[in-house]
Amino acid sequence: MTDLIKQAAEHLIKSKYAIALTGAGISTESGIPDFRGPSGIWTKDPEAENRAYRVYALFQKDPKRYWIDRLTMPSLLGNLDQYAPNPGHLALAELEKMGILKWVITQNIDGLHQKAGSRNVLDYHGNAFRHRCVACGSRFESRAFDLKKLLEEDRLPPLCSGCGGVLKSDVVHFHEPIPFDVAEQSLEEASRCDVALICGTSAVVYPFARLPQVVKQRPPGEESIIIEVNAEPTPLTERGISDYLLRGKTGEVLPRIVEEIKKTQPQRSQSTQR
Ligand code: NAD
């Protein structure tokens, strides 16, 4: 493992445009369960997965009912306000401050990368702290809405203050298309990237799972390196899309990579490049 940590640090130091692709696994050490890990929500309760696949259809058919369900039924991941970033999130924020990491593209909806201090974050599957207008795509901080009052006054669903369209949670549900702006920018970042850190994801949810393949397809003469930091091997490991796997917890492995970079380049510790 020590050799692979050194190798990852070297690849990141030499990189021109490094990005991180993260999934639910990076937040398990903050106390938020993943879906498909050994203690994952789907692993323990497969019926919860079936229910999740019906949420978007319900929104399309009956947005008022969708909001009533959200306000009256327990949320799958609990109250996301209560969680704090862990050393894995903090290590990625530090890599950004060092000027090494250009973007984090996350499947997570928990806002923990932003809480850790990462500035360039693309919430590929949306953010639980925002609502999104399905007509014009505008996003709004959810705390600006008193949804309980709207429920009491029978005024659900909430509406967009810009165009009057119906709002849904910004979270992208199963069967819902990825919002165009995020999908397009993620593709751009992946095609510019020469070193990608893939952290805490089973890499089976599409279209996100295509992004590592985009990183791999560089123009002739250009190379890219994919480093996986995961508790278990994934299809990326098995199909040779990742170059190597640092098998372990993101909250332990990522800080070790940062320490190794600081040992090799002490000036990076003070760096606040943006
Ligand atoms: P997943 O549940 O399919 O896979 C998580 C992977 O991370 C597993 O392979 C697991 O072995 C690994 N893992 C767990 N803890 C780890 C750790 N500490 N260090 C390293 N690896 C660890 O998650 P996914 O691939 O992100 O896909 C699930 C979908 O569920 C995503 O779309 C995401 O939006 C959503 N989700 C989000 C959250 C969140 O926001 N925190 C939580 C659960 C699910």
Side-chain angles (χ1 to χ4, degrees), residues 9-270:
E10 273 169 31
H11 279 135
L12 284 165
I13 287 170
K14 282 192 203 140
S15 70
K16 292 195 177 75
Y17 204 86
I19 66 171
L21 302 172
T22 70
I26 198 168
S27 293
T28 55
E29 289 161 85
S30 293
I32 307 177
D34 61 16
F35 280 167
R36 297 178 186 81
S39 313
I41 296 174
W42 296 168
T43 313
K44 287 188 182 158
D45 178 8
E47 184 45 35
E49 180 169 12
N50 294 334
R51 282 197 300 276
Y53 275 92
R54 296 195 286 267
V55 174
Y56 187 55
L58 172 65
F59 173 79
Q60 288 180 302
K61 197 170 126 210
D62 187 351
K64 179 176 172 178
R65 183 78 246 164
Y66 162 92
W67 278 106
I68 294 174
D69 283 3
R70 281 187 88 75
L71 292 168
T72 54
M73 281 156 63
S75 131
L76 217 49
L77 299 179
N79 174 12
L80 287 174
D81 268 325
Q82 67 183 312
Y83 299 109
N86 67 57
H89 299 104
L90 295 169
L92 293 186
E94 201 167 355
L95 284 176
E96 182 185 325
K97 281 200 199 90
M98 289 172 166
I100 291 175
L101 201 62
K102 304 302 187 260
W103 282 90
V104 174
I105 308 176
T106 186
Q107 294 172 93
N108 297 342
I109 57 165
D110 55 29
L112 289 183
H113 286 298
Q114 291 89 337
K115 271 195 195 166
S118 287
R119 291 196 190 173
N120 291 341
V121 181
L122 286 166
D123 293 311
Y124 199 80
H125 290 159
N127 185 306
F129 298 97
R130 289 197 295 256
H131 302 329
R132 172 166 37 88
C133 174
V134 291
C136 71
S138 299
R139 293 175 178 86
F140 302 91
E141 294 295 319
S142 48
R143 61 170 178 243
F145 293 77
D146 188 345
L147 293 174
K148 290 219 169 98
K149 192 160 175 244
L150 293 184
L151 174 67
E152 279 161 20
E153 294 174 355
D154 194 23
R155 290 198 289 128
L156 288 170
L159 299 177
C160 175
S161 54
C163 76
V166 172
L167 298 184
K168 69 175 282 296
S169 164
D170 184 41
V171 170
V172 177
H173 302 299
F174 289 102
H175 299 312
E176 179 181 356
I178 306 298
F180 181 74
D181 52 353
V182 175
E184 195 173 65
Q185 197 184 341
S186 301
L187 265 181
E188 265 172 38
E189 303 308 338
S191 24
R192 285 182 73 180
C193 162
D194 59 350
V195 175
L197 280 171
I198 313 243
C199 311
T201 173
S202 58
V204 296
V205 179
Y206 280 80
F208 186 89
R210 267 188 51 74
L211 294 173
Q213 298 170 40
V214 173
V215 173
K216 208 71 200 166
Q217 288 156 7
R218 302 287 292 166
E222 289 183 24
E223 249 201 341
S224 57
I225 299 289
I226 297 192
I227 307 164
E228 259 188 282
V229 183
N230 263 327
E232 307 161 70
T234 68
L236 302 175
T237 338
E238 281 142 22
R239 289 162 52 201
I241 291 171
S242 58
D243 290 273
Y244 51 99
L245 165 69
L246 285 90
R247 191 168 182 172
K249 292 183 172 178
T250 45
E252 292 168 9
V253 175
L254 292 172
R256 284 183 65 190
I257 297 175
V258 170
E259 284 318 304
E260 189 59 40
I261 293 174
K262 285 181 183 169
K263 250 194 326 191
T264 318
Q265 296 196 322
Q267 73 279 12
R268 291 273 191 189
S269 314
Q270 279 88 46

